[in-house]
Amino acid sequence: MGEAPAFFADSLLGDFPNGVDLKSKGHKTAICIGSKIYVIGGADHESTAVIGVQIFEKSSGEWINPTVLGTKPKVSNGHSAVLLNGDRILVIKGNSKSDGCFWFLEVGTPFIREQEKTHGNEVVAWSKGVLGNVEKPIVISGPSGVGKGTLISELMKEFPSMFGFSVSHTTRAPREKEQNGFHYHFSDRSVMEREIKDGKFLEFASVHGNLYGTSVKAVEVVADAGKRCILDIDVQGARSVRASSLDAIFIFISPPSFEELEKRLRARATETEEQIQKRLRNARAELEQGKSSGLFDHILVNDDLESCYENLKNILGLTEGVKTAHKTYPELVDLPVEHLVSKIDQKILINCGAGEYQKASDNMYVLDLSLLKGGAPGRTRGLNLFVTNPSTDRVNGDNQLS
Ligand SMILES: Nc1nc2c(ncn2[C@@H]2O[C@H](COP(=O)(O)OP(=O)(O)O)[C@@H](O)[C@H]2O)c(=O)[nH]1
Ligand SMILES: Nc1ncnc2c1ncn2[C@@H]1O[C@H](COP(=O)(O)OP(=O)(O)O)[C@@H](O)[C@H]1O
């Protein structure tokens, strides 16, 4: 149980309407979901630099400090909050640019329910909202030596502005030409295990006797650069990602034959004989799982490298002439502290004409959430922000505002 924040606790005992809940005082907002009231704002109990979250349990009258996962938004001098679908809260920070003002606090999503089982405590998770249409991340799996790394580096070389590699953590020793922070984050097992426990990993697995994992940050760094993320992970990791909120495309790379796989692995000459034997043993199981599980959207046979690479590009929609990201870069706008929000279906109306010197018709924005993807522990993608003129545009569920 936590100490009550400086909030008007009496009013929290009353009932809140569903949908948009806005009660702000001292830069805090309160959103009621069932018997719980989520109070967002003020200082976090661990750091004064980020927005805090506390939960008021109406039935017992107790304050709870939940476990807060994800990247926390920095404090601002005002925000608004809107309840979405009963399981997440959209927080709009005032006084910030539109690429950093939309945040989602997940309170009852499947990810949260899963985390609560592990933590044995109330869990909430922040996820930053990303504007624009960045395409789905790509998960590439396949046995050791099949050519995953070769295909990925071809893709990154040909389309440098489009793709970004998710740099995994591993406890295995670096190979001769591998650089820390570029090929992998080479880590101590104890450090990595602690970070996994702290919820810093999207997925992890024990592969060939070492621990490998994708940190939430590894994927966020790529999303923040406006690039499409590529993950090179094993089949167990792919399964975990499939169960996560990262809405990805799953591609399995298969060798033309087991003999050819062994030949490539030996020719690469990066492993000891013992390691090669272990990787070949595991390859049989991976091939079995990769081909039969239904986990993968596409299976590519890497026989001739050039034609396999062409097939990979076709799957990713990279036809002749496409060299840059499909991303539509949204124009940046400034959101003032004083703004009013309302919700109509999947659209959030943000009226920035609420200030003393502004007319109600100034700066009305519509945030369209109908294409939302992803979520905690990564980014929430697919947000679209439109400027609208309230005197001419009609806003309803069917209206396209662009
Ligand atoms: N689950 C998971 N697997 C990973 C991750 N990073 C790499 N792997 C997988 O670990 C396996 C071993 O990788 P590595 O030691 O680099 O050897 P390689 O497969 O021969 O290139 C490969 O199947 C990789 O796809 C990760 O972050 N998570
Ligand atoms: N289609 C191919 N034909 C022949 N050799 C290949 C082919 N694709 C990759 N290779 C070679 O096989 C070895 C293993 O490839 P690599 O990309 O390191 O595999 P992985 O990342 O899946 O472990 C490398 O020496 C690479 O140059």
Side-chain angles (χ1 to χ4, degrees):
M1 190 173 66
E3 193 187 313
F7 200 80
F8 49 132
D10 282 353
S11 64
L12 293 181
L13 294 165
D15 278 327
F16 284 75
N18 284 331
V20 180
D21 285 340
L22 268 178
K23 294 269 171 180
S24 197
K25 187 174 176 181
H27 310 149
K28 293 189 178 76
T29 49
I31 295 278
C32 184
I33 305 174
S35 67
K36 296 191 177 80
I37 298 170
Y38 293 82
V39 177
I40 304 163
D44 180 73
H45 65 282
E46 283 177 359
S47 158
T48 52
V50 295
I51 294 182
V53 181
Q54 280 198 296
I55 304 171
F56 183 73
E57 176 56 62
K58 283 198 277 182
S59 54
S60 63
E62 288 182 346
W63 285 98
I64 301 161
N65 279 329
T67 301
V68 184
L69 303 177
T71 314
K72 301 171 187 173
K74 295 209 172 73
V75 282
S76 68
N77 51 4
H79 67 262
S80 50
V82 185
L83 177 62
L84 307 172
N85 305 329
D87 61 4
R88 74 187 72 201
I89 298 163
L90 167 67
V91 171
I92 305 175
K93 281 172 59 174
N95 241 5
S96 34
K97 293 254 182 243
S98 52
D99 60 345
C101 68
F102 300 114
W103 290 79
F104 293 84
L105 183 71
E106 297 194 15
V107 297
T109 56
F111 171 71
I112 296 296
R113 283 199 289 275
E114 206 48 48
Q115 291 297 317
E116 283 180 339
K117 281 188 218 152
T118 330
H119 289 267
N121 187 22
E122 294 274 351
V123 174
V124 296
W126 285 108
S127 163
K128 188 179 171 191
V130 180
L131 292 169
N133 306 318
V134 177
E135 297 204 49
K136 286 183 183 193
I138 305 150
V139 169
I140 296 194
S141 292
S144 181
V146 75
K148 303 179 296 296
T150 308
L151 289 162
I152 293 170
S153 47
E154 285 290 309
L155 215 48
M156 307 268 295
K157 225 178 343 172
E158 191 177 355
F159 306 95
S161 65
M162 194 183 286
F163 297 104
F165 185 61
S166 157
V167 180
S168 294
H169 282 62
T170 181
T171 60
R172 90 149 158 74
R175 291 174 188 151
E176 207 175 272
K177 289 187 182 145
E178 283 179 334
Q179 293 161 20
N180 191 24
F182 183 77
H183 295 95
Y184 279 106
H185 297 288
F186 295 100
S187 305
D188 281 343
R189 186 174 276 268
S190 59
V191 175
M192 203 169 151
E193 282 174 347
R194 153 97 8 234
E195 291 182 343
I196 289 170
K197 234 173 148 193
D198 290 345
K200 294 194 175 156
F201 280 78
L202 185 65
E203 63 76 33
F204 63 92
S206 176
V207 192
H208 316 316
N210 280 298
L211 206 51
Y212 292 77
T214 309
S215 70
V216 172
K217 197 170 170 196
V219 176
E220 286 182 351
V221 163
V222 179
D224 288 351
K227 294 183 178 182
R228 193 171 181 187
C229 189
I230 306 180
L231 293 87
D232 172 349
I233 60 177
D234 86 316
V235 176
Q236 305 166 76
R239 199 169 289 121
S240 304
V241 172
R242 185 64 107 176
S244 81
S245 57
L246 197 81
D247 181 26
I249 292 185
F250 293 77
I251 302 172
F252 187 80
I253 312 290
S254 171
S257 67
F258 202 78
E259 292 67 36
E260 173 64 18
L261 182 70
E262 179 166 359
K263 213 167 99 192
R264 286 183 198 170
L265 203 48
R266 289 190 184 286
R268 193 174 68 182
T270 49
E271 267 72 35
T272 62
E273 180 57 28
E274 193 190 342
Q275 271 296 328
I276 290 175
Q277 290 303 335
K278 194 181 269 185
R279 280 160 190 264
L280 289 174
R281 272 196 307 275
N282 292 342
R284 291 200 186 274
E286 283 179 294
L287 287 169
E288 196 69 31
Q289 289 174 40
K291 287 180 177 174
S292 63
S293 63
L295 172 61
F296 292 93
D297 302 308
H298 305 275
I299 296 177
L300 282 180
V301 179
N302 182 17
D303 189 352
D304 172 61
L305 182 60
E306 211 172 299
S307 48
C308 183
Y309 181 58
E310 284 306 312
N311 289 337
L312 176 62
K313 287 200 293 183
N314 280 339
I315 288 174
L316 301 177
L318 301 167
T319 42
E320 201 57 32
V322 180
K323 285 277 177 204
T324 51
H326 293 301
K327 187 185 171 193
T328 49
Y329 287 92
E331 229 177 89
L332 286 189
V333 298
D334 287 300
L335 280 184
V337 173
E338 284 189 60
H339 59 261
L340 294 171
V341 295
S342 47
K343 180 172 177 288
I344 302 174
D345 297 331
Q346 295 299 306
K347 294 188 172 79
I348 307 293
L349 269 69
I350 309 166
N351 185 351
C352 300
E356 209 181 322
Y357 304 107
Q358 286 167 301
K359 298 197 302 285
S361 57
D362 280 348
N363 304 332
M364 176 84 102
Y365 299 106
V366 176
L367 181 70
D368 186 350
L369 304 176
S370 58
L371 298 174
L372 273 200
K373 292 188 191 82
R379 298 292 196 234
T380 299
R381 297 171 289 113
L383 279 72
N384 284 301
L385 187 68
F386 307 112
V387 184
T388 175
N389 178 348
S391 55
T392 54
D393 292 332
R394 202 171 52 85
V395 182
N396 62 37
D398 313 319
N399 219 8
Q400 284 294 319
L401 290 155
S402 53

